[in-house]
Structures are given as structure tokens and as C-alpha cells.
Amino acid sequence: AATVEAGQTLMVSLLVDAGNNTCAGFDAQYDLDGVELVKMGQKSKALADMTLNTNPAEARVSIMSVGDTTGEPVAVTNGAAASQIQIKVPDNAKNGDTFTVGLVADELHVFKEGGSGDKYSTSFVPFTITVGDAPVGTTTTTVPTPPVTTTTTTKPIQPSNAEFKFTLADPDGKSAATV
């Protein structure tokens, strides 16, 4: 995982595993847990490189992903980023501080068909940041296996039967970083 000091920035990707499902669009809101949102990516590599609608003030992202000519939902590139954000760890973060960047569960919607309102079931694995040196013997887990993290009860657990599984990860595909 990335090793940076308090006050530095990290890129976090919202990786997707949708099996064979297509996607007509999605809406999501990031739960930043005290880190600063610096920038939001403009393209969805997982959804045919289509342009994302972003609202940095509310940490929201959405997309309508249907073909221009067909109007049909697009194929999903599993393992690719549906969205990316750049975040900044607070300048005053101290060793031992942790931040858990996730999604607001009630705001995560993935649509089956344009305008139908039918939605896929979803889940996500949050991205955990620990400030300070990594303890000796610490390991991180790569996607798609969910890492062992300490989360609050407001963070959903990754159900194995979700139709769209999202993982927040750094550029190395890891869901935990020591900074």
C-alpha cells in the first residue's frame, strides 16, 4: 500500500465486479470520514470509458451508461474503476489515526435498465487508511478478496450474493494504506 505522510494525497478507485451483468447507470456518494476530497475522476473505465457526472461539494458521482445508438445498458469491465477520487489525509493526522473511506449505503444505486427504476443489489469494501508506520508483519489483501479491516456498524459487509460488488482500493489494488 502507499506510504505517504499526513497531508499528502492518495488516489482511490471504486473497482467493480458485476459478473455478467450490464449497467444502465449508477449513483453513489462517497463517505470520506474526515479526509478531504481533492479531485474526482471524469471517466468510468468500468463503463465503456463514459463520462461521469460529479458533484465534488457533496462527494457524489453518477452516470447514465447506455449505448448512444442502441439505448441498451453497457457491458461492465470487471476489475476496472467505475469511479476514481483523489483524497488528502489531514495535515494534523497523528500516528494511529484511522480513516475509513467508503460509500453511503443508502445512496448507492445501480440501475438495470434506463428509466425503469429496477436496481441491482450492491455491496462494497471500504478503503482503510492508518496514519503512521506499518507494524512489522502487516499484510494487505488484493482485490477481489475483502481485506480484514475494523469498520463501524454503519459500513456494510460484503455479501457474497450481491450483483454489483464494489471495492475501494489504491492504485495497487489494495484496500488498506498506512500513511
Side-chain angles (χ1 to χ4, degrees):
T3 302
V4 296
E5 296 177 6
Q8 289 188 343
T9 59
L10 293 166
M11 185 66 69
V12 179
S13 296
L14 182 61
L15 304 177
V16 64
D17 177 2
N20 294 322
N21 294 315
T22 58
C23 179
F26 83 93
D27 296 318
Q29 182 176 17
Y30 287 95
D31 179 356
L32 299 172
D33 191 31
V35 299
E36 178 187 341
L37 178 63
V38 176
K39 190 167 136 182
M40 299 184 84
Q42 299 301 307
K43 297 281 185 181
S44 179
K45 295 190 185 325
L47 299 174
D49 216 27
M50 295 182 122
T51 300
L52 293 164
N53 298 311
T54 59
N55 179 341
E58 295 181 7
R60 289 183 183 275
V61 61
S62 65
I63 187 171
M64 181 175 287
S65 52
V66 293
D68 289 340
T69 54
T70 65
E72 292 297 313
V74 299
V76 177
T77 304
N78 289 322
S83 168
Q84 289 186 310
I85 58 172
Q86 186 177 26
I87 57 172
K88 180 178 184 241
V89 177
D91 292 325
N92 62 353
K94 296 175 181 52
N95 282 358
D97 288 353
T98 60
F99 302 93
T100 304
V101 177
L103 298 172
V104 178
D106 295 350
E107 300 291 328
L108 177 59
H109 307 288
V110 181
F111 300 99
K112 293 183 179 185
E113 293 181 24
S116 71
D118 288 340
K119 297 177 189 133
Y120 289 107
S121 60
T122 59
S123 65
F124 70 88
V125 175
F127 182 73
T128 303
I129 301 163
T130 304
V131 178
D133 297 328
V136 175
T138 294
T139 58
T140 54
T141 312
T142 57
V143 176
T145 306
V148 177
T149 57
T150 304
T151 59
T152 64
T153 55
T154 61
K155 309 287 184 208
I157 303 301
Q158 178 88 324
S160 59
N161 63 345
E163 294 165 307
F164 270 72
K165 298 173 189 163
F166 293 99
T167 302
L168 287 100
D170 69 9
D172 298 326
K174 296 176 179 151
S175 288
T178 299
V179 298

